[in-house]
């Protein structure tokens, strides 16, 4: 559905997009994860025809965007990083105007606008102008406006940045629903959790380049060649690390400050024998948990960028 | 059909959101009216018909250039303008839709001094069809000049300053109140490089039969300027706004 090859764009001396290539299949949610200034918006602008690349090819549903931008724009919906509807107009008029830009006849656009306002729970905003909307409402209306002509392909530039947990969750649910209906989705985010939760495939982008791309398991596998288990024990015991290591060859054992035992190994660690061994030497185990690297660890390892450069959303939020 | 829907709705939105707003309507009436009164007070025994061409031309020039400089730069800084660039309509359709509202506004401006003059002078001999066509052509070229200014500016303030830089000299160079024939010889070629000179000459011919050029030549020149300015604007937009 999306095929990008060798995309490059420089602004003066800044190389915003540096030889980027990727493909997105029909019906997939593909996410660009990267810190501020990584080149996410620049890439979207080029793909949507708002900006001209210095080099590279972009094909959307078989249409060459550089040659036929208007034809490509007819099948895409775009949610820019800023909610940019018309301040003076209310929700309904804004949606109808956007529909008209895509040539939808009056009766069709009014029906669709009403349905979208309802779906986005904005139908109670009445005649209130866009400028009087809250941030979350503005974001929702901007997304609704991108869907007015039922595009096959949806671009979302940081759809949930700067809005609350509940609104973000609604937007993510909506993105998943669109995917179920067959829409192909390209989104950018600097929220690791968001990428993890909704994307089928993720590309890490830093300094204008794609550092790694793949499904969540693929990205994880690209760094973790080790198995690790953490055993939580009942307080202070003198756990013989050396004894454990010799009993289970190939493993490394470290004792943490809270007296839990972390065992790492290239092979899978046999849980029951370890537990039995510990039990026999008088160590009471309360909990054993496999330590998997988080996407955050993977990101840091692959890009060399501290994850604090990305902002973590809703740390205490729901875990959907 | 699809382009037509888009064109019509862009025009309708601009008229509703900008041109029909009370401050703009009152500016559109008060500005031409006060200039008309000022000219009358300055030369109380002057024939209002002789002043009319200049007043019409000036009303159009100021109405169109100031509105476009505002509406476009305003939408650009709020980024809603990106919606028009991202819509599946040709750039030409979009540009025409954007200037259509301004042309209507300029035409409305032009008729303020005409209506005022009708109270004092006999306008029965005027060929209204030709007058309307002339006014529309002047509005078209002025709107495109305004667009060219808007493309070059980033801020509303900047656009206004730039617009003044062009339109005040034009008041003197285009024969609005001082006939071109009375300008210093050096300036005259410059006058003939400005579309408004031809528009004003047409107006003079229609209202007082005091034109100095042939009407056919003037029409031709206005059309030529309109086409050239349109192509330049489209090119500049492609250069500057599709980065
Ligand atoms: N119009 C422009 N002129 C000059 N430089 C630009 C322009 N647009 C982007 N850049 C530069 O290109 C780089 C990438 O910017 P871009 O907006 O694509 O990043 P981003 O990943 O979207 O960041 P953010 O998360 O902050 O939105 C930045 O260094 C930016 O300063
Ligand atoms: Mg961005």
């Amino acid at each position: 559905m999306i095929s990008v090859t060798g995309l490059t764009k420089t602004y003066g001396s800044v190389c915003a997009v540096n030889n980027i290539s990727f493909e997105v299949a029909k019906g997939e949610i593909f996410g660009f994860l990267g810190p501020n200034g990584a080149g996410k918006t620049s890439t979207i602008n080029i793909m949507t025809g708002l900006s001209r690349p210095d080099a590279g090819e972009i094909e959307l549903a078989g249409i060459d965007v550089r040659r036929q931008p208007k034809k490509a724009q007819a099948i895409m919906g775009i949610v820019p990083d800023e909610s940019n509807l018309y301040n003076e107009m209310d929700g309904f008029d804004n949606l109808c105007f956007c529909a008209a830009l895509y040539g939808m006849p009056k009766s069709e656009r009014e029906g669709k606008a009403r349905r979208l306002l309802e779906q986005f729970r904005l139908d109670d905003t009445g005649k209130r102008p866009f400028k009087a909307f809250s941030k979350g409402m503005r974001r929702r209306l901007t997304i609704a406006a991108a869907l007015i002509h039922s595009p096959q392909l949806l671009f979302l530039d940081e759809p949930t940045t700067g809005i609350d947990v509940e609104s973000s969750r609604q937007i993510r649910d909506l993105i998943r629903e669109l995917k179920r209906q067959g829409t192909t989705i390209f989104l950018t985010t600097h929220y690791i959790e968001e990428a993890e939760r909704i994307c089928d495939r993720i590309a890490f982008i830093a300094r204008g380049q794609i550092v790694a791309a793949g499904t969540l398991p693929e990205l994880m596998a690209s760094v973790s060649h080790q198995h690790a288990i953490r055993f939580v024990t009942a307080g202070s015991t003198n756990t013989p690390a050396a004894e454990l290591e010799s009993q289970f060859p190939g493993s490394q054992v470290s004792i943490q400050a809270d007296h839990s035992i972390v065992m790492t190994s290239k092979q899978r660690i046999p849980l029951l024998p370890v537990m039995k061994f510990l039990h026999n030497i008088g160590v009471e185990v309360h909990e054993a948990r496999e330590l998997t690297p988080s996407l955050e660890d993977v990101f840091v390892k692959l890009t060399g960028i501290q994850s604090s450069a990305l902002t973590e959303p809703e740390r205490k939020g729901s875990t959907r | 059909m699809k382009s037509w829907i888009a064109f019509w709705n862009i025009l309708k939105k601009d008229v509703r959101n900008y041109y029909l707003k009370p401050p703009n309507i009152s500016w559109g009436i008060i500005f031409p009216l006060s200039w008309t009164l000022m000219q009358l007070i300055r030369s109380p025994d002057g024939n209002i018909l002789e002043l009319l061409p200049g007043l019409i031309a000036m009303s159009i020039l100021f109405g169109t250039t100031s509105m476009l400089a505002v509406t476009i730069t305003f939408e650009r800084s709020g980024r809603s303008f990106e919606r028009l660039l991202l819509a599946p309509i040709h750039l030409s359709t979009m540009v025409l839709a954007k200037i259509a509202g301004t042309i209507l506004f300029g035409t409305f401006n032009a008729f303020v001094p005409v209506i005022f003059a009708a109270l004092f002078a006999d306008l029965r001999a005027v060929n209204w069809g030709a007058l309307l066509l002339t006014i529309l052509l002047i509005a078209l070229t002025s709107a495109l000049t305004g667009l060219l200014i808007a493309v070059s500016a980033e801020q509303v303030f900047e656009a206004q300053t730039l617009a003044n830089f062009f339109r005040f000299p034009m008041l003197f160079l285009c024969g609005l109140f001082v006939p071109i024939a009375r300008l210093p010889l050096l300036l005259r070629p410059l006058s003939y490089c400005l579309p408004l000179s031809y528009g004003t000459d047409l107006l003079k011919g229609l209202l007082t039969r005091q034109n100095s050029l042939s009407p056919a030549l003037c029409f031709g020149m206005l059309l030529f300027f309109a086409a050239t300015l349109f192509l330049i604007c489209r090119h500049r937009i492609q250069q500057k706004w599709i980065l």
Side-chain angles (χ1 to χ4, degrees):
Chain A
M1 188 70 178
I2 302 179
S3 161
V4 170
T5 21
L7 211 60
T8 299
K9 174 80 184 174
T10 36
Y11 293 104
S13 61
V14 181
C15 192
V17 179
N18 189 356
N19 196 16
I20 277 182
S21 303
F22 61 90
E23 308 246 329
V24 181
K26 192 167 164 42
E28 202 174 27
I29 302 181
F30 185 83
F32 254 20
L33 176 67
N36 290 135
K40 304 184 294 294
T41 302
S42 304
T43 308
I44 285 204
N45 285 348
I46 297 169
M47 285 201 281
T48 54
L50 199 58
S51 163
R52 266 186 289 265
D54 300 334
E57 302 296 324
I58 315 125
E59 221 179 80
L60 304 179
I63 305 164
D64 182 339
V65 177
R66 294 184 74 177
R67 290 222 181 76
Q68 298 177 289
K70 294 295 158 193
K71 194 173 169 198
Q73 281 163 355
I75 61 155
M76 58 169 101
I78 301 144
V79 179
D81 51 355
E82 250 175 75
S83 303
N84 67 341
L85 284 158
Y86 295 90
N87 274 325
E88 313 302 323
M89 295 183 344
D90 62 34
F92 182 73
D93 286 348
N94 260 307
L95 292 185
C96 286
F97 178 71
C98 292
L101 290 181
Y102 290 86
M104 282 166 74
K106 194 176 168 84
S107 59
E108 203 181 307
R109 61 178 184 251
E110 291 187 343
K112 188 75 193 277
R114 264 188 215 101
R115 278 197 302 279
L116 281 171
L117 283 177
E118 224 167 275
Q119 191 189 347
F120 283 76
R121 289 182 294 114
L122 290 165
D123 43 345
D124 56 350
T125 54
K127 292 262 143 242
R128 225 185 302 169
F130 184 66
K131 65 176 172 215
F133 278 30
S134 76
K135 230 176 185 178
M137 286 157 70
R138 285 160 157 268
R139 205 68 193 134
R140 294 211 298 274
L141 192 68
T142 307
I143 298 177
L147 297 175
I148 193 89
H149 57 296
S150 316
Q152 305 172 32
L153 182 56
L154 183 63
F155 289 95
L156 296 139
D157 197 355
E158 301 191 14
T160 63
T161 296
I163 59 177
D164 70 20
V165 178
E166 180 56 22
S167 298
S168 307
R169 199 180 54 76
Q170 284 166 12
I171 289 173
R172 280 196 295 273
D173 286 345
L174 183 104
I175 293 172
R176 276 189 281 254
E177 175 57 33
L178 286 169
K179 175 195 155 77
R180 267 192 290 281
Q181 291 163 11
T183 312
T184 307
I185 294 160
F186 179 96
L187 65 86
T188 74
T189 181
H190 51 237
Y191 295 149
I192 290 179
E193 285 183 31
E194 180 163 281
E196 204 168 352
R197 283 177 199 172
I198 56 173
C199 295
D200 296 315
R201 283 193 309 127
I202 301 167
F204 292 158
I205 173 165
R207 293 171 289 264
Q209 283 176 308
I210 292 184
V211 180
T215 60
L216 201 56
E218 281 166 4
L219 288 169
M220 296 294 194
S222 66
V223 293
S224 63
H225 302 295
Q226 289 220 326
H227 297 275
I229 294 183
R230 172 182 162 134
F231 298 92
V232 180
T233 63
S236 95
T237 34
N238 280 328
T239 314
E243 217 174 305
L244 255 175
E245 280 175 359
S246 63
Q247 194 70 26
F248 300 94
S251 68
Q252 284 98 49
V253 175
S254 68
I255 313 295
Q256 309 290 301
D258 64 350
H259 306 291
S260 63
I261 304 160
V262 173
M263 218 172 149
T264 52
S265 169
K266 289 247 186 283
Q267 296 110 43
R268 285 207 150 272
I269 298 165
L271 211 50
L272 200 59
V274 178
M275 303 274 276
K276 265 191 178 150
F277 176 82
L278 288 171
H279 181 74
N280 288 341
I281 60 170
V283 177
E284 212 53 56
V285 175
H286 288 180
E287 188 185 326
R289 190 194 293 166
E290 174 148 34
L291 295 178
T292 46
S294 64
L295 187 62
E296 190 173 335
D297 300 330
V298 179
F299 182 84
V300 173
K301 192 147 182 187
L302 289 178
T303 62
I305 293 172
Q306 279 310 307
S307 59
S308 55
L310 302 160
T311 12
E312 280 270 287
E314 7 166 334
R315 278 237 111 114
K316 287 173 235 120
S318 61
T319 46
R320 300 188 44 185
Chain B
M1 183 61 197
K2 284 190 168 181
S3 302
W4 173 245
I5 292 177
F7 175 91
W8 176 239
N9 280 276
I10 294 173
L11 171 60
K12 214 164 62 177
K13 176 192 73 70
D14 279 358
V15 169
R16 253 197 227 143
N17 282 1
Y18 305 121
Y19 303 110
L20 285 185
K21 288 277 148 120
N24 290 329
I25 295 192
S26 49
W27 153 267
I29 296 174
I30 290 167
F31 181 77
L33 209 57
S34 51
W35 271 85
T36 309
L37 286 171
M38 211 166 91
Q39 290 289 342
L40 280 181
I41 292 164
R42 210 175 55 116
S43 48
D45 48 342
N47 182 355
I48 189 163
L49 269 185
E50 276 172 19
L51 293 173
L52 200 51
L55 289 168
I56 293 176
M58 191 179 69
S59 304
I60 302 173
L61 179 66
F62 275 74
T64 49
T65 48
S66 53
M67 284 315 281
L68 258 189
V70 174
T71 56
I72 292 210
T73 6
F74 181 69
E75 286 191 5
R76 288 245 311 137
S77 61
R79 291 190 49 190
S80 51
F81 200 80
E82 279 175 18
R83 294 197 170 270
L84 304 181
L85 294 174
L86 286 171
I89 44 171
H90 281 282
L91 202 57
S92 307
T93 313
M94 192 267 278
V95 170
L96 286 174
K98 275 312 248 190
I99 60 172
T102 318
I103 291 172
L104 290 180
F105 187 72
T107 307
F108 162 77
N109 279 203
F111 277 98
V112 172
V114 174
I115 291 166
F116 189 78
L119 301 175
F120 301 95
D122 185 4
L123 296 178
R124 269 176 303 184
V126 173
N127 178 348
W128 292 101
L131 183 69
L132 182 65
L133 184 66
T134 305
I135 287 176
L136 285 173
L137 273 175
I138 299 175
L140 174 63
T141 49
S142 301
L144 286 166
T145 311
L147 181 61
L148 203 56
I149 293 167
V151 182
S152 312
E154 295 293 334
Q155 298 295 324
V156 175
F157 164 74
E158 200 184 329
Q160 290 288 26
T161 315
L162 210 58
N164 283 335
F165 183 77
F166 282 98
R167 59 197 176 188
F168 280 108
M170 276 165 85
L171 288 185
F172 298 98
L173 287 172
C174 297
L176 268 63
F177 303 107
V178 184
I180 296 173
R182 262 194 260 152
L183 289 177
L185 205 60
L186 266 171
L187 287 178
R188 271 182 242 168
L190 199 58
S191 298
Y192 292 107
C193 294
L194 295 165
L196 195 59
S197 303
Y198 300 96
T200 313
D201 200 67
L202 272 176
L203 290 174
K204 283 184 178 166
L206 284 165
L207 294 165
T208 60
R209 316 211 179 280
Q210 287 171 356
N211 49 318
S212 49
L213 301 166
S214 104
L217 171 78
C218 291
F219 269 117
M221 285 308 281
L222 281 176
L223 286 174
F224 165 77
F225 274 111
T228 313
L229 281 167
F230 181 76
L231 291 178
I232 297 175
C233 283
R234 219 183 52 175
H235 180 74
R236 290 280 292 157
I237 287 175
Q238 232 152 15
Q239 290 280 304
K240 274 208 68 164
W241 291 349
I242 304 186
L243 289 172

